[in-house]
């Protein structure tokens, strides 16, 4: 065995041991990424968090951190804030990926939870108010019809394996598809079907990409505000149900955090 190979193998073994050790340690710090203030504030209240006035994020960014201690956990909710020009929530994949990267760098979480509302598909059994844990996430609007680039565009990634959590909390499970548009074009629909998605959102796969890149386990909790393949316009149904569904989302995320308290990743 040559020296370089031995060093590489040894490094790989060390990484494996480190990963095992990390998964056996009790979860201490969690980061919850939430795109909209309406979705975030009920959880801020539930966990009795306070806004960080000395933001750990670069000056000039609108990103907001709420933080505090809850049942032995260091809980952080990161909201991308309002667009400086238009005053609307900074939704979508660009903001989601940026705040996820910045939060991981600044806060070193043991676990990320991406929580939010989503559209659901009645063909997959989704109903308004249902809350899903995503087993896998992928993009449906990054179409690159070149071999291998096509797979990169889809960007399929699995959520953190949490069999005990799913069983004990009786959470519904489905695949999540992400795109930067609220509506759904025929091409998007084809991609979503190919992704075998039960729910669609505008952030999940971007959070998954960064979490995977930086090797932080991630869980995706999505509550259904609208039925994408239903009779009502998506935007109308979304706004009609947002407040009520946000309550269901908050309750589910609180149950997840309660369950996480005192456990390691391997125990989830």
């Amino acid at each position: 065995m040559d020296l370089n190979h031995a060093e590489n193998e040894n490094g790989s073994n060390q990484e494996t041991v480190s990963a095992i050790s990390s998964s056996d340690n009790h979860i201490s710090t969690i980061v919850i990424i939430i795109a909209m203030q309406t979705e975030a504030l009920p959880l801020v209240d539930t966990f009795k968090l306070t806004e960080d006035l000395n933001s750990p994020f670069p000056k000039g960014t609108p990103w907001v951190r709420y933080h505090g201690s809850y049942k032995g956990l260091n809980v952080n909710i990161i909201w991308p804030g309002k667009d400086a020009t238009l005053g609307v929530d900074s939704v979508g994949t660009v903001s989601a990926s940026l705040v996820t990267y910045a939060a991981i760098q600044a806060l070193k979480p043991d676990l990320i939870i991406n929580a939010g509302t989503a559209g659901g598909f009645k063909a997959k059994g989704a109903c308004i108010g249902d809350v899903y844990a995503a087993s896998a996430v992928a993009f449906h609007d990054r179409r690159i019809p070149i071999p291998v680039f096509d797979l990169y565009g889809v960007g399929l990634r699995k959520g953190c394996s949490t069999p005990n959590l799913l069983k004990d909390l009786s959470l519904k499970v489905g695949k999540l598809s992400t795109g930067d548009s609220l509506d759904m074009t025929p091409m998007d629909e084809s991609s979503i079907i190919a992704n075998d998605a039960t729910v669609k959102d505008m952030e999940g796969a971007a959070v998954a990409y960064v979490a995977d890149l930086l090797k932080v386990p991630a869980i995706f909790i999505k509550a259904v505000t609208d039925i994408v393949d239903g009779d009502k316009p998506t935007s109308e149904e979304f706004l009609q149900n947002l407040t009520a569904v946000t309550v269901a989302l908050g309750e589910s995320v609180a149950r997840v955090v309660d369950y996480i308290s005192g456990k390691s990743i391997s125990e989830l």
Side-chain angles (χ1 to χ4, degrees), residues 11 13 29 37 57 71-72 76 79 105 119 133 166 195-196 198-199 210 231 234 247 252:
N13 288 340
T29 298
Q37 189 176 37
F57 303 131
K71 295 190 175 182
N76 302 270
W79 166 53
Q105 292 295 98
L166 296 176
N195 288 341
D196 192 29
T198 300
V199 286
V210 179
D231 300 326
T234 293
V247 173
S252 292

Side-chain angles (χ1 to χ4, degrees), residues 121 124 139-141 176-179 183-200 228:
F121 293 88
K124 287 288 191 177
F139 293 96
H140 58 252
D141 61 354
L176 171 66
S177 196
T178 297
D183 63 2
M184 182 176 67
T185 68
M187 291 187 74
D188 287 344
E189 183 176 12
S190 295
S191 296
I192 289 168
I193 291 171
N195 288 341
D196 192 29
T198 300
V199 286
K200 67 178 279 286
V228 185

Side-chain angles (χ1 to χ4, degrees), residues 99-119:
V99 297
T100 301
Y101 179 82
I104 291 173
Q105 292 295 98
L107 304 173
K108 312 298 183 189
D110 303 302
L111 178 70
I112 287 173
I113 299 174
N114 175 219
T117 53

